[in-house]
Amino acid sequence: MRMHREGQRHSAGSAMLRSTAAMLLATTATTAYAQQAATGGAPDTTAPAAATSTDTGLGEIVVTAAKRSENLQRAAISITAVSAATMQARGINDLGQLAGLAPAVQFQPSFLLLTYIRGVGNYSSQPAVDQSVAYNVDGIYLDRPYAVPNLLFDLDRIELARGPQGTLQGRNSTGGSVDLITARPTMDFAAKVSVSAGNYGLVATEGMVNVKLSDDIALRISGASSQHNGYFDNGFGDQNALGFRARLLAHVTPRLEVLLTAEYTRQNEKGPTDSPCPPGSIDAACKGVKWRPFAGTAGQGTNDVTNINEPQILRDKNYAIYAQVNYDLDFATLTWVPNYRSLNYRSDQEYSQFFGFAPAAIDQMHSEELRLSSKAGSPITWVAGLYYGRQHSREQNYFLTSQGAFITANEPGFDTIGHVYFKNDIDRYVYRSQSVFGQVSVPIFTGFRLVAGGRYTQDKKELTGRVGLVNPGPTLVTVAVGGTQKLHRFTYKAGFEYDIADQVMGYAHISTGFKSGGVNGVPPGSAVSSIFGPEKNTAYQAGIKSRFLDNRLQLNAEGFYYDYRGYQTSAFYTTPQGITVGLNVNSQKARMYGGEVEGSFLLTPDDRFDANLSLLHAKYVTFVVPGAGLDLSGKRMQNAPGHTFTLSYGHTFQMAGGGKVVAHGEGHYESNQYVDYRLSPGSLQKGYWRANADLTYTAPNGRWTLGAFVNNITNNGALTTAVGGLGPYELGVPLPPRTFGGRATAKF
């Protein structure tokens, strides 16, 4: 029997779509490890994964994106599941390395992780600007991109859901969601230790122990660390991260189950860098300069006269305590999910002697979710619930220079920063959100079900702070800024599911999602608004999920059309004191349509092929940035390649004595795309291929494995992001270079 890793599909397809291509049906997880359905009716967001492909066909996987456990082939949404085994085989231990693993999902690792799904995403680190793709850990929403875990360990899987998830996941999921599901304690003893080593001085460790404390209580403790040298010639792009997690599962009574989790992660690195003059750059300083993707910025963080002499760091600490409490009410399951998180983040980036950026944040998040859901096997499937969240943060966002007037500055609780010429201090930012939601699936006749759901949300944001500009002298001129925004929104989903045949299901629905508005940091009484409105995505989606040939062939597809309104973008305002501040405006509009197809074919129990194709047409209908004099109406959206394609093959060699070797390789193609919202010439990444391979030997008793991996075999320096106007030349950041390594894992 061959074990095949799920979720290793990238995307591929055709450049331009017209209306007919919008109905192309797209897959949702043809590439997943098998997982047994959780028992009972609890909508368990941490259900454990189990085996994979069987001798008689492809295995199954259970997902929980709909806040209940369901077979992925019965989930009427487009979703890809990436298993822990996939990540281990490929040497993946941070989210930025997931690039290319799911169709139409783009990752931009930088000083924070930016994510785009089907062209929906945004670039912003400001506290009043939310992200367009929701990140969740064990079903709990993460309020800031800074809070996204910097190290992946002891996971069961990652679920990448495409399309708005506004009914069940709420605000800020207009593009989709990324859900991290950590491994759950079991009532059996288990232990594991893994050590990896590779180029760039990579040393990574991971360990876990699961013990049964009594007949009804189990404890799982895990930890990991990862260090490697910088990917860039100047030493930047390094990694130095570690994390710990403890999970306690208690069956308090036959009806009551409690799962408690405590987690800590930290990161302490030099941080990212940029390389000058990506292909196509038109800056005068780039004339005759060859693009060296892994060179980095010369003199970064040194006394070099061409740069700012400041320590370069990327540092954060994240703490989390949360729980999931399930109670069996006979007719339904009651679930309570309390959560508290705290983070302390600081970054210092230098682009040139003219500009550096040093953000810092201290953030606390408290949330509660209470929901009631139908039991497994109920003829009518439903879930209803209440949500409350409160975020409180303080921040400082400083711009640096060594050319002109600057000062040394800090705020209580933050590190001192030199070379500051513009400072934005946020003394108090509070975000409260509360909502009521529900969704139901009702059978009308045999095989045909109507689906309907809705969510009503109330949001309130309050911001007070100061912005200041350093004038010659140097003299700091400051002005108070702030505002309050209140928002009420209703999102909905309506559609149907139809069982066309025994293992063929079709579905179609209309759904909406919104990204919350926010508060502009402008002085009271300004000529511009102190608030900006939300974004709204109305999505029309239709798909099919199917299996044939005795469960050996799986074909999933989905087509979609998005009407995206209220698109938020940046503008500028100059106060009466002569301070230019950034703000956000709406009135923007975009349109996306396309489709995805994923397929898996188990040719023999030892040979598996996987492929996926993604087609995307994503353009701004209206996109104007007044302060920058930028009008991109009718232009392509960033991070939205017209087509992507992935093909992978895996073979299992059955060894004498019962051991086996699994060999896997894949190729991934992406067509032309811009990686900067301004669509600057140097931000156009032309179509490119990337290839990966891995090899794993498993001992006959399964107690130990040896593996090797190589990613980006051709050392392709494809752009992941680019930025101009911050110095004499445009700057770009590539995806990681060729990396390779080996690992040894022992289980006890």
Side-chain angles (χ1 to χ4, degrees):
M1 182 181 73
R2 175 176 172 275
M3 298 184 69
H4 185 82
R5 290 167 296 284
E6 303 287 352
Q8 299 182 349
R9 324 264 156 322
H10 305 119
S11 336
S14 173
M16 279 295 195
L17 301 179
R18 295 300 182 222
S19 305
T20 55
M23 295 307 296
L24 182 66
L25 303 174
T27 173
T28 62
T30 61
T31 61
Y33 260 99
Q35 179 188 36
Q36 301 299 326
T39 59
D44 181 12
T45 59
T46 58
T52 60
S53 302
T54 69
D55 290 331
T56 58
L58 298 166
E60 296 180 349
I61 184 169
V62 167
V63 294
T64 52
K67 294 189 180 294
R68 59 187 176 87
S69 299
E70 59 182 336
N71 185 336
L72 189 144
Q73 287 300 104
R74 307 296 296 173
I77 59 175
S78 185
I79 181 172
T80 295
V82 182
S83 72
T86 296
M87 292 181 279
Q88 182 185 51
R90 294 190 54 177
I92 294 173
N93 60 22
D94 72 70
L95 285 163
Q97 296 171 319
L98 292 175
L101 280 179
V105 181
Q106 310 292 120
F107 291 94
Q108 280 192 329
S110 185
F111 66 97
L112 53 81
L113 182 66
L114 307 173
T115 309
Y116 294 76
I117 298 180
R118 294 175 175 171
V120 179
N122 65 298
Y123 177 91
S124 180
S125 62
Q126 299 299 314
V129 180
D130 297 313
Q131 304 302 298
S132 304
V133 174
Y135 272 84
N136 304 281
V137 173
D138 292 329
I140 297 169
Y141 175 68
L142 303 181
D143 58 307
R144 300 296 305 281
Y146 298 139
V148 174
N150 53 60
L151 186 63
L152 304 177
F153 64 97
D154 200 29
L155 293 180
D156 181 79
R157 67 190 181 278
I158 297 177
E159 298 178 8
L160 305 172
R162 299 178 286 280
Q165 309 295 315
T167 301
L168 294 179
Q169 298 204 27
R171 69 194 194 281
N172 308 333
S173 60
T174 49
S177 65
V178 179
D179 303 299
L180 281 67
I181 314 299
T182 65
R184 178 183 170 95
T186 67
M187 292 298 169
D188 298 312
F189 174 80
K192 181 179 75 172
V193 61
S194 179
V195 179
S196 301
N199 62 335
Y200 295 97
L202 170 68
V203 177
T205 63
E206 182 175 348
M208 175 277 295
V209 60
N210 186 106
V211 294
K212 180 180 178 180
L213 302 180
S214 71
D215 289 342
D216 300 312
I217 301 175
L219 175 67
R220 187 182 186 100
I221 298 176
S222 57
S225 67
S226 183
Q227 295 86 32
H228 65 69
N229 300 326
Y231 289 149
F232 295 84
D233 295 346
N234 64 355
F236 288 82
D238 60 329
Q239 184 183 45
N240 180 14
L242 63 83
F244 302 96
R245 183 184 305 119
R247 310 199 77 190
L248 181 70
L249 174 65
H251 297 290
V252 182
T253 72
R255 291 179 177 268
L256 178 62
E257 176 190 85
V258 178
L259 178 59
L260 301 175
T261 305
E263 183 179 88
Y264 167 79
T265 60
R266 75 116 174 99
Q267 187 177 20
N268 189 3
E269 303 162 0
K270 287 185 177 180
T273 189
D274 305 77
S275 298
C277 303
S281 301
I282 59 175
D283 298 311
C286 289
K287 187 176 182 179
V289 177
K290 183 180 179 180
W291 164 243
R292 296 176 56 220
F294 305 111
T297 303
Q300 186 171 7
T302 71
N303 290 317
D304 191 307
V305 295
T306 64
N307 223 293
I308 302 167
N309 181 23
E310 285 292 325
Q312 296 286 275
I313 59 170
L314 175 60
R315 187 172 65 205
D316 67 51
K317 294 181 181 179
N318 280 281
Y319 304 86
I321 300 175
Y322 57 94
Q324 178 174 309
V325 181
N326 296 318
Y327 189 78
D328 187 348
L329 295 174
D330 288 333
F331 73 96
T333 301
L334 180 67
T335 300
W336 175 45
V337 184
N339 162 66
Y340 174 79
R341 293 176 181 271
S342 175
L343 70 89
N344 191 314
Y345 173 91
R346 182 192 167 189
S347 176
D348 192 335
Q349 274 191 303
E350 296 172 9
Y351 296 91
S352 69
Q353 70 268 37
F354 299 98
F355 184 80
F357 180 47
I362 299 173
D363 187 281
Q364 289 85 37
M365 174 68 184
H366 167 235
S367 67
E368 308 262 351
E369 183 169 283
L370 185 68
R371 63 179 182 263
L372 197 63
S373 59
S374 58
K375 302 291 287 291
S378 300
I380 298 177
T381 303
W382 55 272
V383 60
L386 302 170
Y387 174 84
Y388 171 81
R390 184 181 187 274
Q391 174 195 351
H392 181 277
S393 64
R394 296 173 53 232
E395 291 201 20
Q396 62 178 24
N397 295 282
Y398 291 171
F399 294 170
L400 316 180
T401 187
S402 63
Q403 306 294 308
F406 59 81
I407 61 171
T408 298
N410 79 308
E411 290 295 309
F414 293 98
D415 292 337
T416 298
I417 304 293
H419 296 83
V420 177
Y421 79 88
F422 176 85
K423 63 197 302 280
N424 179 4
D425 296 306
I426 298 167
D427 301 319
R428 183 176 183 269
Y429 173 71
V430 179
Y431 186 179
R432 297 180 182 88
S433 181
Q434 51 195 10
S435 60
V436 55
F437 62 88
Q439 185 166 302
V440 61
S441 174
V442 181
I444 303 301
F445 54 83
T446 303
F448 185 86
R449 299 171 295 280
L450 290 180
V451 178
R455 188 182 190 108
Y456 178 74
T457 302
Q458 291 183 335
D459 280 359
K460 183 179 180 181
K461 292 184 178 181
E462 300 174 271
L463 184 149
T464 57
R466 292 154 290 117
V467 296
L469 179 69
V470 178
N471 293 327
T475 302
L476 176 65
V477 179
T478 62
V479 59
V481 299
T484 300
Q485 188 215 52
K486 295 181 180 180
L487 179 70
H488 305 260
R489 277 293 179 273
F490 177 74
T491 52
Y492 64 87
K493 178 177 182 177
F496 69 86
E497 305 168 2
Y498 180 55
D499 298 330
I500 302 169
D502 183 43
Q503 295 197 69
V504 181
M505 181 186 73
Y507 63 89
H509 54 74
I510 176 175
S511 61
T512 60
F514 82 98
K515 186 178 83 170
S516 186
V519 179
N520 282 319
V522 296
S526 297
V528 297
S529 175
S530 63
I531 64 173
F532 56 95
E535 298 179 358
K536 181 180 178 180
N537 185 10
T538 302
Y540 306 85
Q541 296 163 267
I544 190 168
K545 295 193 171 184
S546 60
R547 284 192 172 182
F548 308 97
L549 302 179
D550 295 326
N551 223 31
R552 291 167 42 230
L553 174 63
Q554 178 172 297
L555 291 173
N556 293 343
E558 184 177 279
F560 61 91
Y561 177 92
Y562 291 173
D563 182 4
Y564 208 100
R565 297 175 182 266
Y567 206 94
Q568 302 163 1
T569 190
S570 300
F572 301 95
Y573 170 71
T574 301
T575 72
Q577 295 82 4
I579 304 173
T580 299
V581 299
L583 53 88
N584 289 273
V585 297
N586 297 102
S587 80
Q588 315 296 317
K589 182 179 178 181
R591 182 179 297 117
M592 306 86 155
Y593 57 84
E596 299 146 12
V597 176
E598 286 182 293
S600 296
F601 180 45
L602 197 63
L603 179 63
T604 74
D606 293 329
D607 295 274
R608 176 163 167 169
F609 292 89
D610 294 280
N612 65 59
L613 171 68
S614 174
L615 303 165
L616 176 63
H617 174 102
K619 284 190 176 183
Y620 300 112
V621 176
T622 305
F623 192 93
V624 180
V625 186
L630 192 64
D631 185 351
L632 299 178
S633 302
K635 303 293 185 181
R636 293 167 56 183
M637 301 180 70
Q638 73 175 116
N639 286 30
H643 57 279
T644 61
F645 173 74
T646 299
L647 177 65
S648 70
Y649 168 69
H651 179 76
T652 297
F653 297 90
Q654 305 291 349
M655 311 297 290
K660 60 185 175 182
V661 174
V662 178
H664 171 265
E666 66 186 12
H668 172 66
Y669 176 78
E670 295 190 7
S671 64
N672 295 0
Q673 62 184 302
Y674 285 96
V675 295
D676 174 43
Y677 83 93
R678 289 158 290 199
L679 310 188
S680 59
S683 72
L684 176 60
Q685 172 58 54
K686 295 184 178 180
Y688 68 92
W689 281 93
R690 286 170 69 91
N692 310 307
D694 53 81
L695 189 71
T696 301
Y697 170 75
T698 302
N701 57 9
R703 290 296 182 90
W704 58 272
T705 63
L706 296 175
F709 66 89
V710 54
N711 293 322
N712 190 13
I713 295 173
T714 60
N715 204 34
N716 190 314
L719 280 173
T720 180
T721 186
V723 63
L726 303 180
Y729 37 65
E730 191 163 6
L731 296 161
V733 179
L735 288 166
R738 180 192 302 115
T739 56
F740 56 84
R743 71 184 179 283
T745 301
K747 298 179 181 180
F748 306 95

